[in-house]
Amino acid sequence: MRRAGSRALAANRRLYSGDEVAGYLRDPYHRRRLELAVGLLGERLPAGSAVADLGAGGGEVCALLAARGLRPVACDAVLDAGRSALAAGFPAVALDVGEELPLRTGSLDGVFAGEIIEHVYDPALLLREVRRVLRPGGVLVLTTPNLATAQDRLRFLAGRAPRQVDPFHEYLHVHIRPFTHGLLTTGLRAAGLVPTALRSNEVVWRTRFGEVRSTWAARRWPGLGGTLVVAAVRPA
């Protein structure tokens, strides 16, 4: 298991060592995802709450958290001074989310894990560690691509594989743990966390002529959206 986890980490480092996260803020699809996630944290935590951003990259999401009055702690496997949150002035911790987190038990008010859990070989360990580092009443918000989007449900009925399990896609091949909302809820509860909210950014329908996107449909039926945005709490 450790060897497989190390190989997964190496693959992700190769793919995400550039400016991928910064590009998310320029993409309306991902910008909507991040707005929903940061909004959930801001609604549930008082100003000044310490929130770890797992996979912080260059600190772009940390800046969004800080703008909501939260105190972000940048956590990433790659923390080179040239592009990391260190350069943006945020406290930073080097860690591997596939291992035990080098953070004190009950030391955080919140955790943000954006597009992380689908890359992790042992997601159960990650969720247990998140519960450990959260104080009682602390909040986790995570986002992950949805395995059961509206279009993929029909694709599967037609005998075609859902998009998220394409092992030959340029970046989806490192999404080794795809989730539905139900599966994610099961994992959160098994780790001792209580799911409290589900949001989604857009329902997307891809055709050879382009994409049709709807934020309205994602608000109405979040379980069909492209990205699952889930909040959970550590019980008091």
Side-chain angles (χ1 to χ4, degrees):
M1 179 179 290
R2 183 175 295 275
R3 181 180 179 185
S6 297
R7 292 178 66 182
L9 175 62
N12 282 292
R13 278 177 165 169
R14 287 194 299 270
L15 188 61
Y16 293 103
S17 59
D19 294 322
E20 295 290 331
V21 177
Y24 287 161
L25 294 175
R26 297 189 292 270
D27 182 340
Y29 179 88
H30 284 289
R31 187 167 62 247
R32 172 70 175 163
R33 167 181 68 85
L34 291 170
E35 289 171 352
L36 289 169
V38 172
L40 283 172
L41 284 164
E43 292 167 8
R44 286 158 171 75
L45 294 173
S49 296
V51 178
D53 176 14
L54 304 184
E60 296 83 6
V61 176
C62 285
L64 297 177
L65 293 169
R68 293 296 298 251
L70 303 173
R71 289 190 296 115
V73 179
C75 303
D76 205 296
V78 181
L79 287 174
D80 60 280
R83 63 169 297 276
S84 75
L86 287 170
F90 297 109
V93 177
L95 55 75
D96 176 1
V97 294
E99 304 289 343
E100 293 181 355
L101 302 178
L103 300 166
R104 295 194 308 276
T105 298
S107 61
L108 295 169
D109 302 298
V111 171
F112 173 61
E115 310 298 271
I116 290 292
I117 195 169
E118 69 273 14
H119 297 270
V120 176
Y121 185 79
D122 188 356
L125 172 62
L126 172 59
L127 294 178
R128 290 196 303 270
E129 280 294 283
V130 167
R131 183 193 184 281
R132 180 184 64 79
V133 302
L134 284 173
R135 62 166 176 78
V139 177
L140 162 68
V141 172
L142 65 82
T143 76
T144 188
N146 185 10
L147 178 63
T149 65
Q151 188 172 25
D152 280 325
R153 294 184 190 210
L154 293 179
R155 286 169 62 93
F156 193 75
L157 288 175
R160 300 177 62 191
R163 183 171 179 268
Q164 286 299 322
V165 296
D166 182 353
F168 308 109
H169 192 277
E170 60 179 333
Y171 63 83
L172 294 178
H173 72 278
V174 294
H175 291 189
I176 60 176
R177 292 288 185 264
F179 287 89
T180 63
H181 177 235
L183 185 59
L184 195 56
T185 297
T186 298
L188 288 165
R189 292 190 182 280
L193 297 163
V194 179
T196 59
L198 168 65
R199 305 282 189 273
S200 187
N201 52 350
E202 296 178 347
V203 170
V204 182
W205 198 275
R206 295 177 173 85
T207 74
R208 59 181 176 176
F209 306 108
E211 297 180 345
V212 178
R213 301 185 175 197
S214 173
T215 56
W216 175 87
R219 288 193 299 271
R220 182 68 179 83
W221 303 289
L224 299 179
T227 298
L228 302 172
V229 183
V230 176
V233 64
R234 176 182 174 179

